[in-house]
Structures are given as structure tokens and as C-alpha cells.
Amino acid sequence: MNSPTLELKKIVKTYKQGGQTLEVLREVDLDIEAGEIIALVGPSGSGKSTLLQIAGLLDRPTAGDIYLNGQNCSKLNDAMRTSLRSDYLGFVYQYHNLLADFDATENVMLPQLIAGAKPKEAKERAQWLLKRLGLEKRFTHRPAELSGGEQQRVAIARALANAPKLLLADEPTGNLDPKTSEIVFAELLSIVKETGLSALIATHNLDLAERMDRKVKLENGKLIDMRAKVFVPEANFY
């Protein structure tokens, strides 16, 4: 039996604030199976970003264990964590953080080149992803020449460039107007389903959350698993 893509076991995160201890995450457990898309919901300040940072090996928990594909990553050194992030994880944030001096194709090529891909192969995959996200006419446009929704689609393509097993997204449409948010989210959900990767997507938009496979909610530091499954029809990719 295959291991879950991500397992979080008894994750605790605390911060010292003055003379007090602030408990942000309290023994959080979460499993994400291969191909599963989970919505992470909760009020502002509930710890969603902290949880994503820990799951993505960008922060260390105060206690608890993180498993990626069955491997305990909790005590890995920084070099090994960086390598795993490059090979196994993809990140999308509310703000695109694209490199201003590079065009759309180059922004998506860059993580592939860093990982050792050949330029020709990196360009082909970058442009396939951009085309898949409706940006075939924007290959050579720099970020300043793109709309907000187009910039975020380039950021999604960049997150998928190295074919990760797990996508972590922190309010990926939170900086977009409702119409653009709907378009970008539909494209994100479609390509995630098509490629079969797992995803943990933090969002304030409950309508978007309902379209994922299941929802988990952070409340008072605890993670509540809302097991009501939502049917997501298979998209037609042919």
C-alpha cells in the first residue's frame, strides 16, 4: 500500500510573546492521499499559513512529525530539506513573486534549470504548462505586461514546473477580483486533477473550498476534518 503524499502527526507550533507562550497549532494531524485535493479553511490568524510553511519544510514545528511519501522529514538538515522542496513540492502564494526581468517562459524555466534540466526540455515544458493555463499568447511577456490573473497563472505554471507530488497553495486567488479568481481557480483545479498530484489549498472562499475533495478547518489551533466529500466531475482534456 502506498504511503500518503503528506502526513502531519501531532504538529505543535508555539511562539514566545513577551513572557507568554502563544500556541498556534495544537497537535494537528493530517493525511493527504495521492491525487487528493484538500481545502484548508479557517479565519485570518488561525494558523493556515503556518501550517503550510511547516508542511512545505519552510518552517520547523515545535513538536510533531512531517512525513512526505512515508519519509520522516522532521529531523532532516537544511540541505536535505531544500532538496526535497525542489523535487517533491510546489508552492503558490497569494502574490505571484515572479522575476520582473524574465518573461513568462523564462520564469517557468528557471526552477527546472536549477534542478538540472536541459534548456530545450525546460522551455518545452514551460510552454506546455503556460499553454495549458491559457497563456499561449503570453510566452514572451514580462510580468509587468501581464494582468493580475495572468501573472498568477504563470506562478502556478512555475509551481508545477518540476512535476511535484504535492502542491501547497496559500490563498492563490486571494489577490484577484471574483471573476478572475473563478477563472484562475478553475484552471488550477483542472490541471491538478489532470496531473494527478495532491494539493493542500488554503482559501477564505468557501465556494471554492466546496469544489475540492474535502475540507479541513483550523480553529483555535486544532484541525477539524470535515469529511463530507464533494463530487468533482472529471474534466474533458481531449
Side-chain angles (χ1 to χ4, degrees), residues 42-117:
S44 296
S46 61
K48 298 190 299 296
S49 294
T50 299
L51 184 62
L52 287 170
Q53 294 280 312
I54 289 171
L57 306 181
L58 293 166
D59 193 7
R60 293 182 184 269
T62 306
D65 293 300
I66 307 143
Y67 292 82
L68 294 177
N69 198 33
Q71 178 183 359
N72 192 332
C73 304
S74 305
K75 294 180 173 61
L76 296 179
N77 62 35
D78 289 343
M80 295 178 73
R81 290 163 71 91
T82 299
S83 177
L84 260 178
R85 282 197 299 271
S86 175
D87 295 339
Y88 196 82
L89 301 169
F91 299 87
V92 182
Y93 300 99
Q94 182 172 347
Y95 299 98
H96 56 79
N97 296 318
L98 299 175
L99 298 175
D101 293 334
F102 293 83
D103 65 29
T105 298
E106 292 164 341
N107 265 282
V108 183
M109 286 177 65
L110 193 58
Q112 300 177 74
L113 296 174
I114 292 171

Side-chain angles (χ1 to χ4, degrees), residues 16-17 23 43 57-58 70 84 93 95-96 123 135 142 144 152 163 186 189 196 200 210 213 217-218 231:
K16 294 292 184 182
Q17 194 172 65
E23 197 170 33
L57 306 181
L58 293 166
L84 260 178
Y93 300 99
Y95 299 98
H96 56 79
K123 184 175 182 178
L135 295 173
R142 294 186 179 186
Q152 193 65 326
L189 198 62
L200 179 61
E210 289 292 342
D213 294 326
K217 182 180 181 181
L218 267 175
F231 174 71

